Amino acid sequence: MEKALERFYSVFAAWGVPPFVPQLIVMLMVVSVVILFISVSVMFMIWWERKISAHIQVRYGPMRVGGWHGWAQSIADGIKLLLKEDIIPAGADKLVFALAPMVVFAAALAAYVIIPFGPNLIVRDLNIGVLFYISISSLTVVGIIMAGWSSNNKYSVLGALRSAAQAVSYEVPLVVSVLGVIMTVGSLSMIQIVEAQKRIWFVIPQFFGFLIYLTAAIAECNRLPFDIPEAESELVAGFHVEYSGMRFAIFFLAEYANMFTVSAIATALFLGGWHGPLLPPWLWFLIKTYFIIFVMMWLRWTLARLRVDQLMNLGWKVLLPLAFLNMGITGLVLVIHG
Amino acid sequence: MIPPETEIIERTQETMEEMYVNMGPQHPSTHGVLRLMLKLDGEMVTEVVPYIGYLHRCHEKIGENRTYIQIIPYTDRLDYLASMYNNFGYVLAVERLMGLQVPERAEYMRVILAELQRIASHLIWMGTFGMDLGNFTIFMYCFREREKILDLFESVSGQRLNYAFYRFGGMPMDFPPTFLTDCKAFLEWFKPRLPEYDAIMTDNIIFQKRVQGLGKLDQKTAIDYAISGPMLRASGVKWDLRRDDPYSIYDRFEFDIPVGAAGDVWDRYMVRRLEMAESVKIVEQALRDLPPGEIMGKVPKKLKPPAGDIYSRVESPRGELGFYIVSDGSEKPYRYKVRSPAFVNLSVLPVIGPGHLIADMVAILGSIDIVLGEVDR
Amino acid sequence: MTVTQAVFFLLAAFTLGAALLVVLATNIVHCAIALVFTFFGVAALYVLLDAEFLAAVQVLLYVGGITILLLFAIMLTSRISARGVKIMNEQAGISALVVFAILALMVFANLKGFVLAAAPLPASYATASLGRLLLTTYVLPFEVVSILLLAAMVGAIILAKREREKD
C-alpha cells in the first residue's frame, strides 16, 4: 500500500503539480470506498435482519425479489424510498429539518476513519483513535435533537429529548468500559490496541467490560430492548416521525451504519480485531463484526422493551458502578504486575 | 374531571408541560377503535377517561327485529375473537327460556369447541400483549398456534372467524371424521409450546419488570365494579362460572381455577397463561368421553318461547358474558340485552390507570383484554 | 500561501460565520445549532495546531455535553414556536466601546509576542505527556476541578429531587 502511494505521488510530482492535489485525490478515493462499503454493508444488514427476524419468528422473510432468498429486497426498498414524495410538515423549520439527517449521517460516517479493517486497512490511524469515535458519537445526539425540534410536533420534541437523554446517559458506561482495555494497552490508537491482542483477546481478561460495552452500545444505537424513543406502539412517537422518503432512509442508513461501527469497535477492542488463523485478516475482522451484529439482532427479536425509567436506572445505577469496578480492578492488577 | 373538548384543545397548544393527551381512536395499541383521554402531570397519568362507541352497531336494537335464530350470526360479531362462546351463551339462554333438551353428544361437542376457542382467544391476547411491550416474536408464535385451531374450526363449520355454529337444541352438523385425530394432534403439538412461551415471556426479567406491580386492582374494588373473568381471578377472587354456576356439562370435568394474589398486570398474565393449560385438560377429557349419538334434540319448527324473561350467563374468555332476553310470546324477542364482560372490565380503567407512567398505560389496557365489538356492541 | 494556510483561513471563516450566526440569529434554537458549528470549527483549528487530544475533548465536552444541555434547557422551557429574541438593546454603545478596547489589547499582545512558558511537546507523545502532567505537576488543580464538578452534580441532583418531591 505504501509503495503504491509513493508511485502515485511521484507521477504528479513529475508533472510539477503541488503535492496537495494527489493527496486530495487519494482522500476522495478513500472516502468513496468507505461510502461504498457502508452502502453495501447497510443493504446487506437490512436484508439480514429481515431474514434473522423471520427465522426466529418461524417464517421465511424476503424470498422473491431478485431470486435467491430475496437478496435484492433492500435495493428495491431503497429505490422505493427514493421515489417517495418529499413531505416537509407545515410550520417546520425547513433548514434545520433538512440539516438534521445530514448531521446524523455525517456523524455515523465520520466514525469510519478509525475502524481497523486489517493491518494496513485503516483510513487513518489517529493516535487518539477510540477517543475520536467517542467524541463523534456525541454529534449524533445533536442531530437527533435537531430532527425532533424541527418537525413542529410536540411529540417529536419529547421523543427526541428522550432519545438524547438515553444516548447521553449510556455514553458514560460505554467510555468507562473501554477504559479497561485502554489502560491495559497504554494507548488510544486502534492499530496498537489490536496488535496488543496477538496472544490473548481482551474479551477474556475484560469480560465484564465487554458485556457492559455491548449493553451500552445497543442502547446507543436505539435498538430493542432500549428502543423506547422509536417505539411505535407506545404513546409518544419517535423523533423521526415526520420524516418520509429519502430523509427517513438517511436516518435508517445512519442507524445501521452506527450498528456496524459499534460492532467493529467491539471487535477491535475485545475480540482481537483481525487476528485469526488461515483466513485473510480483513475477512476475520468482518466475520467477528457481523457476529456481534447478529447477536444484536438476535436480542432485538427476543426481548421486550425497557421502560424509560428502567432504562435510566440500568444505565446509571447498574452499568456505571460495574464499569467503574472493572476499571478499578484492571488498574489494580496493572499496578501490581508493574 | 376532564373538561370539555374545546377547552382541552386550547390548553394543550400552550406549553410543553402536556396536560391532556389523546390516545386513539387510531392507535396501534388500543386493540380496536378505543379512545383514551389522559390527563398528565409530567410523565405521570393522573386521570384516564375512555371514550367508547366507535364500533357501536345497534346490536341489541337489531335483535329486537330479528327472529331468535336470525340473531345467532349477529352474536358472533360481538366478541369476534371468541365467537363460539358468544353463540354458546346466547343459545343457552334461549334453551333455558324454552326448556329445550340438548343431547349428550352435542353437549360434549359444545364444550370441546368452546374450550378450543378459549385457547385461541388467550393466544391472540398473549401475542398482542407481548407485541405492545416490544416482543414481536411471541406474536408470531401465538398466531401460528391459533392458525391450527382455526383450521380445526374451518373443518368443522366452514368458517375461520364468525362461525354461527351453535343451534337451539344441539349442533347443526357433526364433526368431520378427521376431527378427532386432528384435534388430538393439535393438543400434542400445543402442550410443549406453553413452556416455549414461558421461556420468551414469563421467565424473561425484562418482561417481569415491565408488568409486575402495575395496575393493581384489589379484591373489594374488583367486586364492587362487577369485574369478571381472568381480571377478577387475578385479584384473588376464586370465581369461575364453570365451577360456581355450572352450565352445560362443565360440572363433569376436572380442572383448576388459577387465581392471582396481587391483582396486577403480571397476575392477569399468569392467570390467562395457566388457563390455557387448563383448557387443554378439559378438551382432552371431553375428547376422551365424547359419546356417539344424535346432535340435535327436539325443537319446534317455529320458535316461540313462552312469555317471560331470563338472564343466562357463561364464562367467556373475557369474563361473565350474560344474555338477558325478554320474550312476549312472539317469534322475535321483546328486549334483548347483552352483558358484555369487556365493557364492564373497561369501566375500572379510570381506577387502576392513574398513578402510572404513560408507557404503562399500554400494558394496563392490554391486560384488561378488551374487544371493541363487545364493548360497543 | 501553503495548503495549511488556505485550510486555516477556510476554517476560521467558517467558525467566525457560525459565531456571527449565534449572536445575530433571531430564532434561539438556530443560535444553539450555530453554536454547535462554532465549537466544531474550533476543534478543527485545534487539529491544525496538532492538539488532537484537545480537539477530541472539545467535541466531546462542548458539542456533546454543553450544547446538548443548552438545547434541552431551551426546548423544555420555551414555547414550541420560539419567537425571535431581540438582538440589540440600549447598552449597545457601551458594549461596542468595551469590545474595541479588548480587541486593541489582543492586537497589542499579539504583536508584542508571547514568551514560551515551556518547550513544545513532541506531537506523537502529546496525549501521554498530557496525562502524566495532569497527574504529577498539575494534580492539585485537577483534583480541585473534580471537587467543583462533584459539587455541581450534587447541587443539580438535590434541586431536581426537591422538585420531584414537591409533586
Side-chain angles (χ1 to χ4, degrees), chain B residues 81-82 114-130 138 142-143 146 149 190 194 197 201 229-231 233 242 258 268-279 315-319 368-369:
Chain B
L81 296 179
E115 289 306 313
L116 280 175
Q117 180 71 81
R118 185 185 303 271
I119 298 176
S121 170
H122 283 334
L123 279 172
I124 299 188
W125 173 80
M126 188 184 270
T128 51
F129 186 61
I138 190 79
C142 288
F143 270 68
R146 181 175 171 257
I149 299 184
F190 184 64
L194 290 172
Y197 302 156
M201 293 262 277
M231 264 190 93
R233 291 193 276 281
R242 296 174 289 173
R268 288 174 217 143
Y269 167 80
M270 281 311 290
V271 164
R272 290 191 181 103
R273 152 77 186 78
L274 293 171
E275 270 184 13
M276 280 201 270
E278 300 305 321
S279 293
E315 178 81 20
S316 94
R318 278 161 188 83
I368 302 181
D369 193 9

Side-chain angles (χ1 to χ4, degrees), chain B residues 62-82:
Chain B
I62 290 179
E64 290 175 15
N65 293 314
R66 301 280 180 280
T67 62
Y68 285 89
I69 198 157
Q70 283 176 331
I71 298 179
I72 295 183
Y74 286 97
T75 58
D76 279 320
R77 277 119 180 115
L78 276 174
D79 174 2
Y80 40 78
L81 296 179

Side-chain angles (χ1 to χ4, degrees), chain B residues 336-377:
Chain B
Y336 161 68
K337 162 148 179 69
V338 178
R339 186 252 190 229
S340 88
F343 176 72
V344 178
N345 289 355
L346 187 59
S347 70
V348 85
L349 185 62
V351 174
I352 61 174
H356 298 95
L357 304 175
I358 307 181
D360 294 330
M361 282 312 299
V362 170
I364 298 177
L365 184 64
S367 73
I368 302 181
D369 193 9
I370 53 171
V371 171
L372 265 303
E374 196 172 58
V375 172
D376 288 338
R377 274 154 284 154

